[in-house]
Amino acid sequence: MNPIFVYALCHVVVCLVSCTQIHQEGYCTFYDECGKNPTVSGSLIPAIIPCIYNGPAKPLAGLHLQKLQEVCPMLYKGGATQACCSLEQLNTLQKSLLLSKPILSRCPSCVENFVNIYCQNTCNPNQSLHINITRTYNVTINGVIKEAVTEYQAYLSREFADRSFDSCKNVRIPATGGFAISTMCGKYGSTLCNTQRWLDFQGNSGNGLAPLDIDFRLIDNNTQVGQGIVPLSTRVWSCNESTSPEQEACSCLDCVASCPIIPPPVPDSGPFKIGQLDGVLVVCLVVFCGLSVSFVGFLLVSNLYRGLKSQNKDKNDNEVKKEVHLHEVTCTDKASLATQDFLGSLFQKWGTMVASHPIKVILISLIAVLVLSFGLVFIKLTTDPVELWSSPNSRAMKEKAFHDANFDHFFRTNQIILTAPNHKGYAYNSLLFGRQNFSGVLSKDLILELLEFQTRLQAIQFWSDEVGRTISLKDVCYAPLNPTNPSLTDCAVNSLVQYFQNSRENLEAKINMTVNGQTGEVDWRDHFLYCINSPLSFKDITDLGLSCMADYGAPVFPFLAVGGYKNEDYAEAEALILTFSLNNFQRDTLGFELALRWEQKFLDLVQEYQRNPSTNFTFTYMAERSLEDEINRTTMEDIPIFMISYAVIFIYIALALGEYSSFKSVLVNSKIVVGLGGILVVGCAVLSSMGFKV
Ligand SMILES: *[C@@H]1O[C@H](CO)[C@@H](O)[C@H](O)[C@H]1NC(C)=O
Ligand SMILES: *[C@@H]1O[C@H](CO)[C@@H](O)[C@H](O)[C@H]1NC(C)=O
Ligand SMILES: *[C@@H]1O[C@H](CO)[C@@H](O)[C@H](O)[C@H]1NC(C)=O
Ligand SMILES: *[C@@H]1O[C@H](CO)[C@@H](O)[C@H](O)[C@H]1NC(C)=O
Ligand SMILES: *[C@@H]1O[C@H](CO)[C@@H](O)[C@H](O)[C@H]1NC(C)=O
Ligand SMILES: *[C@@H]1O[C@H](CO)[C@@H](O)[C@H](O)[C@H]1NC(C)=O
Ligand SMILES: *[C@@H]1O[C@H](CO)[C@@H](O)[C@H](O)[C@H]1NC(C)=O
Ligand SMILES: *[C@@H]1O[C@H](CO)[C@@H](O)[C@H](O)[C@H]1NC(C)=O
């Protein structure tokens, strides 16, 4: 027998037994309307569902054809047009699309692709090729029993569906600044949205728009579905294409492909190098060597010259010996002699006068010094880094003043960055997110340790005499959602454990759940992976149902919880970040004083924790007051150095200028020693004030 015939026969037999539907070119699966879907309630528009019709597509004419051209222009083929939808269906489709189209309307090619999917499902004359009805129910319309469709499968080529999704995924809603698909992907939001989730949400009759359930099946190239089903694949407009000459392509804001290509920056020419060495160093060395050589050369030559001269002198002693003649004395020699004489006599008189009235001179000098130092009363020393390093007239300072006056002071930041370099990373097979790499610091025991540490810091307390009670974090913290009367859980503390609302129980929670027929355990890692993608969510998509919001009510963006990651691979982050934000009270208020004291306690505790040998973290930390502390510390260190060096200089001057005849021999040596010592100390002081370590 002919093998093709055998195959066809088998196919027909199989179909007669298992599939009553004909999937064939030019055949419909459903046609016309069969009333409301009884399983759908609370829909925005009446959920009208179609009737089963597994016959040939119908030719269109007149008003019907006109409507098709209006609603589904991509299916319009002039007079020869056939379709699987009635005029009423076209009207219903039009109403339904009118509700979804506006959010995508900024990008015409996306709208076109979106409409295309629904037109193909409803009207394509080859409908039966990609639609497979899976659920129906019997209705009686005008005394006739009809079968209405309540669920069908739509087979789409994966490439077709992905390209349709890609054309829409960057379209924005200007009112919120967010993405349009975030409203079309249900709980997944825009970050976790993908083609399948986008279509699933649209095909879910619970979304308020879809009249029936559509089970979208995405089929890869070269994959056979069987039963004569052929996945749909039609023309898709890329978002940088204009769908018609009157339409413009989508803007760069809504479509990445439309953005102008920015030429990559010219790479840096790199540091100046000569061979393998630093160029500047080489040039300096050459100059230095040149100068040294010429200096030494000069010394040698001049010595040689002098030697020769003295030899000559010896030889011609008698010839050379002669008087200095008057005409050899030049004008400049005379002038310098006169100046020296004049200054000499002036200073001699000055010295004599001072020496003969010692008491008066000292008194007058003292008064002059005191009067001139009177300005010290107005001196204001500051250690506030803001005032220290920005000029009061600078733009930044003015903007800060404006911000402080119109909004509020920017909060004080106390931060700890924790790493665990000895912990090895690992891979985690997430039921929901697939295989993910986790860094070593993201392990449960370390996160529990972080939680414990954070709890200890949150519990810091100290007694204040001024207030007359114990002060804790809530008295000084930045509490954005309850600024007037905050409790401890209103304080802005950002860390990874806030994804679990600082609850050990939430962190330890585990549950078995089933996704796409696969059952597995989900735990804190799945919740974490969800939250880094949707930090604004109040409920994750795992069966744990945990919120991602911090206990003080604000979202914790992933860059506030972890650090040291590439791209957006937050799960591979090397560090955990723990941030306590305190209110920025006005300086010279009690609140400011208390905040400083809280920060001191914070630093004490952190230092104690760092010294603890059982600590599993390596970390760095800072408090808002740290910078000021450091300035104070270095200033205090510098003061004695300056005092000593000035004292040494004065002693040196006094000794060097005085003439102590009895100590003359001692003096010569002490002059040199003291002088050198003074220079050394002054040098050290200058260097250390410039920030060098001596
Ligand atoms: C239906 O299928 C046939 C054969 O594959 C094709 O020529 C025709 O264009 C299709 N019709 C539509 C509207 O896609
Ligand atoms: C099409 O739907 C029928 C039920 O109506 C089902 O038995 C069949 O498996 C479906 N075809 C495919 C390919 O899933
Ligand atoms: C609907 O009625 C037909 C007979 O008209 C019957 O074969 C079919 O099983 C019924 N379907 C349902 C869902 O009750
Ligand atoms: C799928 O097929 C289309 C055309 O037949 C081709 O352009 C595309 O590259 C294929 N995709 C894959 C993933 O093979
Ligand atoms: C759209 O972008 C693709 C690449 O993203 C490019 O190949 C294509 O030429 C662009 N089309 C138009 C009409 O600009
Ligand atoms: C995880 O790490 C392995 C090996 O370093 C790498 O091959 C793989 O691509 C990573 N997986 C992900 C999801 O980043
Ligand atoms: C999940 O199922 C596995 C195997 O069926 C079981 O070992 C585990 O204890 C279950 N976990 C929870 C949280 O129920
Ligand atoms: C450090 O880790 C070890 C082993 O996991 C644990 O026993 C210890 O308590 C941890 N240290 C602290 C300070 O929690």
Side-chain angles (χ1 to χ4, degrees):
M1 242 194 277
N2 186 335
I4 294 174
F5 177 70
V6 171
Y7 171 77
L9 194 69
C10 286
H11 190 72
V12 168
V13 170
V14 166
C15 254
L16 281 177
V17 174
S18 78
C19 61
T20 46
Q21 294 176 52
I22 303 167
H23 297 293
Q24 195 184 320
E25 197 186 301
Y27 266 62
C28 299
T29 313
F30 47 76
Y31 189 86
D32 214 356
E33 299 186 332
C34 259
K36 281 193 193 173
N37 188 344
T39 60
V40 174
S41 58
S43 178
L44 293 172
I45 47 171
I48 309 277
I49 47 176
C51 310
I52 277 193
Y53 165 73
N54 205 187
K58 302 196 174 177
L60 267 57
L63 193 61
H64 193 173
L65 182 61
Q66 226 176 320
K67 196 79 191 174
L68 180 88
Q69 192 185 3
E70 188 189 329
V71 182
C72 297
M74 67 293 282
L75 290 172
Y76 179 76
K77 295 216 163 57
T81 310
Q82 293 192 322
C84 290
C85 52
S86 65
L87 181 59
E88 287 75 37
Q89 275 180 292
L90 279 169
N91 282 328
T92 310
L93 181 62
Q94 190 177 26
K95 275 186 212 146
S96 155
L97 289 176
L98 267 181
L99 284 173
S100 334
K101 263 157 70 171
I103 41 170
L104 298 172
S105 63
R106 286 168 54 90
C107 185
S109 33
C110 157
V111 172
E112 184 79 14
N113 295 331
F114 178 76
V115 169
N116 181 44
I117 294 175
Y118 291 95
C119 283
Q120 299 291 351
N121 281 353
T122 317
C123 292
N124 189 328
N126 296 336
Q127 193 186 43
S128 64
L129 282 183
H130 77 281
I131 300 287
N132 188 37
I133 292 175
T134 46
R135 200 170 64 222
T136 60
Y137 95 111
N138 285 346
V139 282
T140 315
I141 295 173
N142 301 333
V144 187
I145 297 181
K146 285 189 173 177
E147 245 183 301
V149 181
T150 53
E151 185 188 85
Y152 64 79
Q153 297 169 329
Y155 287 87
L156 309 182
S157 136
R158 185 178 292 282
E159 213 212 337
F160 162 78
D162 282 344
R163 293 191 53 209
S164 303
F165 174 70
D166 287 346
S167 73
C168 289
K169 72 176 175 195
N170 289 314
V171 178
R172 293 190 179 263
I173 305 178
T176 65
F179 292 102
I181 49 157
S182 66
T183 64
M184 304 176 89
C185 231
K187 60 195 176 188
Y188 293 100
S190 59
T191 330
L192 290 176
C193 197
N194 60 25
T195 313
Q196 185 72 59
R197 290 169 177 170
W198 183 58
L199 291 171
D200 284 350
F201 180 73
Q202 293 171 44
N204 183 347
S205 59
N207 68 11
L209 271 181
L212 75 180
D213 290 311
I214 309 173
D215 177 9
F216 283 98
R217 300 276 174 112
L218 306 185
I219 308 298
D220 290 320
N221 269 4
N222 318 323
T223 307
Q224 296 297 322
V225 183
Q227 300 175 0
I229 291 173
V230 182
L232 177 76
S233 179
T234 64
R235 154 127 222 209
V236 180
W237 302 92
S238 154
C239 66
N240 61 350
E241 287 175 300
S242 52
T243 53
S244 64
E246 311 91 68
Q247 292 275 21
E248 287 201 13
C250 313
S251 68
C252 170
L253 193 63
D254 299 305
C255 167
V256 176
S258 289
C259 295
I261 297 160
I262 299 166
V266 186
D268 234 13
S269 55
F272 170 46
K273 284 208 153 174
I274 296 176
Q276 295 270 303
L277 295 170
D278 184 17
V280 178
L281 184 69
V282 171
V283 169
C284 286
L285 277 177
V286 167
V287 171
F288 177 72
C289 290
L291 286 177
S292 308
V293 166
S294 46
F295 179 64
V296 171
F298 172 75
L299 283 185
L300 286 178
V301 169
S302 66
N303 270 350
L304 209 66
Y305 177 70
R306 219 180 284 157
L308 281 177
K309 223 174 161 185
S310 64
Q311 267 175 24
N312 282 348
K313 210 172 165 186
D314 288 348
K315 228 188 273 169
N316 316 324
D317 216 1
N318 295 332
E319 282 169 52
V320 175
K321 201 171 193 173
K322 57 182 181 208
E323 291 283 298
V324 175
H325 289 292
L326 223 70
H327 67 261
E328 280 178 338
V329 178
T330 60
C331 249
T332 41
D333 287 342
K334 282 185 208 158
S336 78
L337 189 68
T339 317
Q340 201 182 339
D341 282 348
F342 171 71
L343 287 178
S345 66
L346 204 70
F347 280 116
Q348 192 184 3
K349 274 183 207 151
W350 169 259
T352 320
M353 191 194 77
V354 169
S356 43
H357 308 282
I359 308 271
K360 281 182 212 157
V361 169
I362 288 177
L363 268 182
I364 291 171
S365 315
L366 206 62
I367 289 168
V369 166
L370 283 181
V371 167
L372 292 178
S373 310
F374 185 67
L376 279 175
V377 173
F378 302 109
I379 205 166
K380 209 179 108 206
L381 295 176
T382 182
T383 49
D384 181 4
V386 175
E387 286 179 27
L388 216 50
W389 289 319
S390 56
S391 137
N393 298 319
S394 67
R395 184 184 168 86
M397 199 67 169
K398 281 181 188 154
E399 281 173 3
K400 180 181 179 297
F402 181 84
H403 180 276
D404 290 351
N406 290 285
F407 303 99
D408 208 351
H409 287 261
F410 205 75
F411 46 78
R412 301 175 70 89
T413 306
N414 300 288
Q415 195 164 59
I416 309 172
I417 299 174
L418 307 106
T419 56
N422 298 331
H423 278 63
K424 267 225 167 64
Y426 60 98
Y428 173 62
N429 267 324
S430 168
L431 190 64
L432 294 145
F433 302 93
R435 203 177 162 80
Q436 296 280 335
N437 290 338
F438 270 69
S439 69
V441 77
L442 292 176
S443 65
K444 193 155 159 195
D445 51 341
L446 288 181
I447 290 175
L448 284 174
E449 191 174 329
L450 171 70
L451 174 60
E452 198 198 323
F453 183 37
Q454 180 187 314
T455 314
R456 275 175 60 200
L457 290 170
Q458 280 175 305
I460 288 176
Q461 283 188 341
F462 56 91
W463 175 261
S464 161
D465 281 335
E466 297 93 326
V467 189
R469 63 180 169 87
T470 325
I471 299 297
S472 65
L473 179 60
K474 71 178 166 55
D475 298 298
V476 289
C477 77
Y478 172 65
L481 296 187
N482 188 6
T484 47
N485 185 20
S487 69
L488 198 57
T489 51
D490 290 322
C491 290
V493 178
N494 287 312
S495 75
L496 191 147
V497 290
Q498 283 283 21
Y499 287 139
F500 304 88
Q501 294 80 43
N502 300 337
S503 151
R504 192 183 179 103
E505 201 180 308
N506 288 351
L507 243 165
E508 310 234 32
K510 281 181 195 165
I511 200 164
N512 280 331
M513 72 180 279
T514 307
V515 178
N516 300 334
Q518 217 186 338
T519 303
E521 207 173 63
V522 293
D523 62 11
W524 66 274
R525 285 171 289 209
D526 301 85
H527 178 66
F528 169 71
L529 289 171
Y530 176 77
C531 289
I532 55 179
N533 286 306
S534 306
L536 290 157
S537 174
F538 284 98
K539 190 162 184 281
D540 69 13
I541 55 173
T542 70
D543 284 357
L544 297 169
L546 297 176
S547 162
C548 292
M549 290 288 183
D551 65 349
Y552 68 96
V556 179
F557 292 102
F559 50 82
L560 290 175
V562 291
Y565 43 81
K566 293 204 185 72
N567 303 322
E568 293 197 344
D569 299 331
Y570 299 114
E572 292 178 57
E574 286 162 26
L576 302 173
I577 304 177
L578 174 54
T579 314
F580 288 82
S581 306
L582 300 194
N583 255 329
N584 205 346
F585 299 94
Q586 294 279 4
R587 273 170 186 265
D588 61 27
T589 60
L590 182 59
F592 184 74
E593 205 50 47
L594 294 178
L596 284 187
R597 282 175 65 188
W598 188 89
E599 284 172 7
Q600 189 55 55
K601 294 273 173 203
F602 168 85
L603 290 174
D604 292 347
L605 202 66
V606 171
Q607 278 156 4
E608 180 205 311
Y609 182 66
Q610 195 171 33
R611 280 193 300 269
N612 183 347
S614 77
T615 302
N616 296 309
F617 287 116
T618 306
F619 59 88
T620 46
Y621 57 90
M622 69 153 270
E624 183 86 15
R625 62 173 288 160
S626 299
L627 197 54
E628 226 167 302
D629 287 350
E630 199 61 14
I631 294 172
N632 283 336
R633 194 181 61 78
T634 51
T635 314
M636 284 306 165
E637 270 177 9
D638 287 345
I639 286 176
I641 296 182
F642 275 100
M643 278 164 61
I644 294 173
S645 49
Y646 273 99
V648 169
I649 291 171
F650 286 132
I651 293 170
Y652 165 71
I653 292 173
L655 289 180
L657 292 186
E659 289 198 15
Y660 301 94
S661 44
S662 47
F663 289 113
K664 225 167 197 168
S665 56
V666 181
L667 208 64
V668 176
N669 288 337
S670 69
K671 260 188 211 172
I672 294 167
V673 171
V674 171
L676 284 182
I679 289 167
L680 199 70
V681 171
V682 172
C684 289
V686 169
L687 284 182
S688 78
S689 72
M690 280 162 69
F692 289 100
K693 279 244 150 62
V694 183

